[in-house]
Amino acid sequence: MESVFDWDNDKYVPVKDSGIYEKSAKRALREVREIVDFCHENRIELVFFTNPMYKTTYMNALDVHYLDFLEGIAEFSEFYNFSSFNNITMNNKNYLDTSHYKAEVGDLILNVICSGEIYPELYAQGFGVKVTKDNAKGFISALREQAQEFVK
C-alpha cells in the first residue's frame, strides 16, 4: 500500500508539557504493571515492544517525557525497542502517514521478536534492542544523546 499522506506538510511542532502527560504516564505505568503482574501470576508470556515512530511523532513523544516512560517500564518488564532515530523512522517511505508504518516494517519487527533476527545497522541505531533492567539505563541514556544530536 502506498502512502497518500502529504509529506511536504509534515512539520515538527513542539508539544508543550502542561503536566497532563506526566500524570497520564504515571497512570499508564501503574496499569501496565498490573497487566505484567497478572500475566506473571497466571504464567502468561507477555512481550512488550515500542512502535517505530516516524521521526516527527517520535520528537513529539520525546517532548512529553517518552524516555522517562521507557525507564519506568524497564523497572518491571523487558521490552524490545524500535523507537529511535534510525534508518526506518527517518524515511517516510516506510510509513503511510506519521502514525502508521507499512507492513514491511512490521515484518522486521516480527523477525526480531519471533526469530531473534538482528539487523546490525538498525540495531546500532536502537532498532530491535531488547531492553532489560541490566541495560536500560545505558540504552536510554544513549537514546537521550541520540536525540540531542538529532536536534542539533
Side-chain angles (χ1 to χ4, degrees):
M1 176 180 263
E2 288 305 311
S3 174
V4 295
F5 186 77
D6 183 4
W7 293 103
D8 290 333
N9 285 324
D10 174 46
K11 307 274 188 281
Y12 166 66
V13 178
V15 176
K16 300 216 185 310
D17 184 6
S18 63
I20 193 166
Y21 296 104
E22 184 178 2
K23 188 175 180 181
S24 296
K26 286 180 181 177
R27 183 177 65 241
L29 282 171
R30 279 194 312 272
E31 292 171 354
V32 170
R33 185 169 202 139
E34 288 175 15
I35 293 168
V36 168
D37 291 345
F38 175 84
C39 289
H40 181 73
E41 290 166 10
N42 292 282
R43 297 185 182 143
I44 299 168
E45 183 180 4
L46 178 65
V47 178
F48 283 114
F49 70 93
T50 64
N51 279 317
M53 292 182 262
Y54 182 66
K55 64 182 177 185
T56 53
T57 305
Y58 182 62
M59 290 173 71
N60 286 138
L62 293 174
D63 286 345
V64 294
H65 311 288
Y66 178 67
L67 297 180
D68 295 336
F69 180 76
L70 293 184
E71 283 180 334
I73 294 286
E75 289 177 15
F76 57 84
S77 182
E78 298 179 341
F79 63 91
Y80 289 90
N81 184 77
F82 296 96
S83 56
S84 62
F85 293 110
N86 59 64
N87 291 346
I88 299 294
T89 62
M90 300 295 289
N91 185 343
N92 64 19
K93 291 182 176 23
N94 293 315
Y95 292 83
L96 297 173
D97 56 40
T98 60
S99 296
H100 299 94
Y101 52 85
K102 291 184 178 178
E104 297 83 5
V105 176
D107 289 342
L108 294 175
I109 293 168
L110 288 173
N111 290 342
V112 169
I113 295 172
C114 298
S115 301
E117 184 87 27
I118 293 177
Y119 302 96
E121 185 176 355
L122 292 171
Y123 188 88
Q125 298 167 340
F127 185 94
V129 174
K130 187 172 187 178
V131 180
T132 66
K133 281 184 180 182
D134 294 335
N135 71 1
K137 286 243 186 268
F139 178 71
I140 293 171
S141 177
L143 289 181
R144 289 184 197 287
E145 290 175 25
Q146 182 193 58
Q148 288 173 345
E149 286 298 313
F150 182 79
V151 171
K152 288 181 185 178

